[in-house]
Amino acid sequence: MSDAHPFDEGIALERAGEHVARGRTHAAWRNFIGPFGGLTAAQAMQAILVHPQRLGDPIAFTVNFAAAIEDGEFEIVAQPVRTNRSTQHWTVSILQGSEVKLLGTAMTAARRDTWSADEAVMPQVPPPAQVPLPQARARVEWVNRYEMRFIEGGFPDAWDGSDIGHSLTRVWVRDNPPRPLDFASLTALSDVFFPRIWLRRAQFVPLGTVTMTVYFHAREEQLKATGTGYLLGQTRGQGFGAGYFDHAAQLWNEAGTLLATTTQVYYFKE
Amino acid sequence: MSDAHPFDEGIALERAGEHVARGRTHAAWRNFIGPFGGLTAAQAMQAILVHPQRLGDPIAFTVNFAAAIEDGEFEIVAQPVRTNRSTQHWTVSILQGSEVKLLGTAMTAARRDTWSADEAVMPQVPPPAQVPLPQARARVEWVNRYEMRFIEGGFPDAWDGSDIGHSLTRVWVRDNPPRPLDFASLTALSDVFFPRIWLRRAQFVPLGTVTMTVYFHAREEQLKATGTGYLLGQTRGQGFGAGYFDHAAQLWNEAGTLLATTTQVYYFKE
């Protein structure tokens, strides 16, 4: 590895056309099969962020994981399909050869000061320094790219198939090593939660994310105020059945500012 | 109006090409400006549902409202971009002339029986017959297409600008007149919640949905079991600020089965 931060290495793109950027997979971000989906989503977001025609900052972002990304290079096509006075609508896709691996949409907008309120209030939790790091060694490489301090709902102590009846996790998390928060890393951090069914059932079933949506509440000034600090992530499953389940999650900074809300659907096998 | 149910009239499409269907706006579904977004989303979903190449049932659906739909006809382009063994990924857009009015993605899948659990439990509420209909006359036509019985968080009694500190709504809702639930009507019902900022601030600010995501937990058998019964809808805002806010919502049937979870982002002006 070079001196660059592994996340910056991960999202590095080269422009390859008006709406086309080239990226690649990285050993530092490997998951069980293929790359960490959060990095893939962040690469797609980065293609929008570096697009010369971008208007404003991310508001909403949805990515559908259509097929496994093979190790190596890929093309990201990020295109502003509709530009209004203060808003812009995007399509984005990741291609390897002629195969679509990811497709999604995004909305960016020039924001302005208005009335504001965080109705989703950060739960009362001990500060990061009082929450120990997990003892277990990560099973996959990308997990080492994050410092995760589980307040509740960490990995099961025993994978004994007992249904604990809920899947609530609260975790302090930040890049490892620390890196100032930006929209790309907030995208990746929105995918940092391990699958809810593993927690709820204490059972290791094969699965994968099929779709993720991120709503960005943070503006540049909240990203700056967060800096390299921790985010509090909270997530919980909603419905499990017929091969799929979803979760809903929130991310706050240490000051309690809501930065993002996010949802996902996973497929699972049993 | 003909003898057809107004929702069936609303989502009626004619095929106009391999991936193209033609639809139109309807006076019965008018909103303040343009059509009810839930009907527009349902029209886009219907274009997928009637597509001859569709594999399986809807799992996830995201639509971004890119520009106002003018009264009249439009084309819906719904295309299966990637078909796997049991899953299919779609792009969908609505066009008037050369203008993109809506763009989105969907995922459908052949589902199979697995372990299941509804972790998002329906709150304890009085049954529909014990919850009165609102006395106020609807300000917009589409609201008359639904029977809504607000348990809590109905329209403010006084639009006096008082911040009530939360935006929780619980409502029994079904089509008016009743109509057996299907994936298209469940899509529209996912957009039935009035904007959270109106409730929270008791203030009538201009706004509109910019993106909506629906996760379908119901399969055909749960739709059938629901029939023409009521759905319990629950929604709450998460973050408000800088011209945008989001909400997260759940929909159950009277038996307490989770049918859909859904999120939205609105823009607002003040």
Side-chain angles (χ1 to χ4, degrees):
Chain A
M1 256 190 264
S2 76
D3 290 343
H5 191 282
F7 186 76
D8 290 304
E9 289 206 333
I11 60 166
L13 302 176
E14 295 97 49
R15 186 144 297 282
E18 187 184 5
H19 303 302
V20 185
R22 188 166 292 119
R24 60 198 54 74
T25 60
H26 299 267
W29 292 94
R30 198 164 280 159
N31 203 350
F32 289 102
I33 298 166
F36 168 51
L39 185 78
T40 305
Q43 289 166 322
M45 171 53 72
Q46 184 69 1
I48 293 169
L49 293 170
V50 301
H51 196 295
Q53 290 161 33
R54 175 170 59 92
L55 169 68
D57 289 332
I59 302 287
F61 185 46
T62 293
V63 285
N64 296 339
F65 296 92
I69 291 177
E70 311 289 332
D71 282 348
E73 292 211 329
F74 48 78
E75 290 193 328
I76 309 178
V77 183
Q79 187 158 0
V81 173
R82 170 100 197 186
T83 301
N84 298 314
R85 199 170 51 81
S86 66
T87 62
Q88 195 170 46
H89 289 270
W90 296 78
T91 57
V92 62
S93 54
I94 293 184
L95 301 161
Q96 286 187 310
S98 61
E99 286 200 75
V100 175
K101 300 301 180 81
L102 173 146
L103 55 96
T105 57
M107 189 212 160
T108 58
R111 304 189 77 157
R112 65 209 149 65
D113 288 328
T114 62
W115 174 82
S116 69
D118 289 346
E119 187 162 328
V121 173
M122 185 165 81
Q124 292 211 328
V125 294
Q130 289 178 24
V131 181
L133 292 165
Q135 294 301 306
R137 208 165 141 263
R139 293 187 186 208
V140 288
E141 186 55 32
W142 74 264
V143 173
N144 298 315
R145 303 288 83 76
Y146 292 100
E147 183 187 332
M148 295 192 226
R149 297 172 181 266
F150 289 98
I151 299 146
E152 52 185 308
F155 280 96
D157 291 324
W159 296 85
D160 58 5
S162 60
D163 184 342
I164 63 168
H166 76 86
S167 62
L168 175 66
T169 285
R170 289 169 172 161
V171 59
W172 287 115
V173 59
R174 62 175 176 175
D175 288 326
N176 177 23
R179 176 183 175 280
L181 190 68
D182 57 25
F183 286 112
S185 64
L186 184 52
T187 301
L189 282 156
S190 295
D191 190 38
V192 89
F193 305 104
F194 70 91
R196 299 298 85 201
I197 199 169
W198 292 353
L199 173 59
R200 169 135 188 182
R201 301 185 68 196
Q203 193 178 338
F204 200 74
V205 296
L207 48 71
T209 297
V210 293
T211 183
M212 173 169 76
T213 287
V214 183
Y215 295 159
F216 296 91
H217 295 279
R219 287 187 283 171
E220 281 288 347
E221 64 202 71
Q222 279 97 26
L223 298 175
K224 280 208 176 70
T226 305
T228 59
Y230 293 86
L231 307 194
L232 181 74
Q234 173 175 270
T235 184
R236 187 163 187 169
Q238 297 192 102
F240 302 79
Y244 293 86
F245 68 91
D246 71 334
H247 77 223
Q250 301 83 33
L251 292 156
W252 298 266
N253 66 14
E254 289 180 71
T257 302
L258 185 67
L259 302 177
T261 52
T262 177
T263 57
Q264 285 199 18
V265 176
Y266 288 75
Y267 81 87
F268 71 95
K269 288 181 182 168
E270 57 163 13
Chain B
M1 255 191 264
S2 76
D3 290 343
H5 191 283
F7 187 75
D8 290 303
E9 289 206 333
I11 60 167
L13 303 176
E14 295 96 51
R15 185 143 299 284
E18 187 185 4
H19 303 302
V20 184
R22 188 166 292 118
R24 60 198 54 77
T25 59
H26 298 268
W29 292 94
R30 199 163 279 158
N31 203 350
F32 289 102
I33 299 166
F36 168 50
L39 185 78
T40 305
Q43 288 166 323
M45 170 54 72
Q46 183 70 358
I48 294 170
L49 293 170
V50 300
H51 196 296
Q53 290 161 34
R54 174 170 60 92
L55 169 68
D57 288 332
I59 302 287
F61 186 46
T62 293
V63 285
N64 296 338
F65 296 92
I69 291 178
E70 311 290 333
D71 282 347
E73 291 212 330
F74 48 77
E75 290 192 329
I76 308 179
V77 184
Q79 187 158 1
V81 173
R82 170 102 196 184
T83 301
N84 299 313
R85 198 170 51 82
S86 67
T87 62
Q88 194 170 47
H89 288 269
W90 296 79
T91 57
V92 61
S93 55
I94 293 184
L95 301 161
Q96 286 187 311
S98 62
E99 286 200 75
V100 175
K101 299 302 180 79
L102 173 146
L103 55 97
T105 58
M107 188 212 161
T108 58
R111 305 189 79 158
R112 64 208 149 65
D113 287 328
T114 62
W115 175 83
S116 69
D118 289 347
E119 187 161 328
V121 173
M122 185 166 81
Q124 293 210 326
V125 294
Q130 289 177 23
V131 181
L133 292 165
Q135 295 302 306
R137 208 166 140 263
R139 294 188 185 207
V140 288
E141 186 54 31
W142 74 264
V143 173
N144 298 316
R145 304 287 83 76
Y146 292 100
E147 182 187 332
M148 295 191 225
R149 296 172 182 267
F150 289 98
I151 299 147
E152 53 185 307
F155 280 95
D157 292 322
W159 297 84
D160 59 5
S162 60
D163 184 343
I164 63 167
H166 76 84
S167 62
L168 175 66
T169 285
R170 289 170 174 162
V171 60
W172 287 116
V173 60
R174 62 175 176 175
D175 288 326
N176 178 23
R179 177 184 176 278
L181 190 67
D182 57 24
F183 286 113
S185 64
L186 184 53
T187 301
L189 282 156
S190 295
D191 190 37
V192 89
F193 305 104
F194 70 91
R196 299 298 86 200
I197 199 168
W198 292 354
L199 174 59
R200 169 137 188 181
R201 301 185 69 197
Q203 194 177 337
F204 200 74
V205 298
L207 47 71
T209 297
V210 293
T211 183
M212 172 168 77
T213 287
V214 183
Y215 295 158
F216 296 90
H217 296 278
R219 288 186 282 170
E220 281 287 347
E221 64 201 71
Q222 279 96 27
L223 297 175
K224 280 207 178 70
T226 304
T228 58
Y230 293 86
L231 307 194
L232 181 75
Q234 172 175 271
T235 184
R236 188 164 186 166
Q238 297 193 101
F240 303 78
Y244 293 87
F245 68 91
D246 71 334
H247 77 224
Q250 300 84 34
L251 292 156
W252 297 266
N253 66 15
E254 289 180 71
T257 303
L258 184 67
L259 301 176
T261 52
T262 177
T263 57
Q264 286 198 19
V265 176
Y266 289 74
Y267 81 87
F268 70 95
K269 288 180 182 169
E270 57 162 16

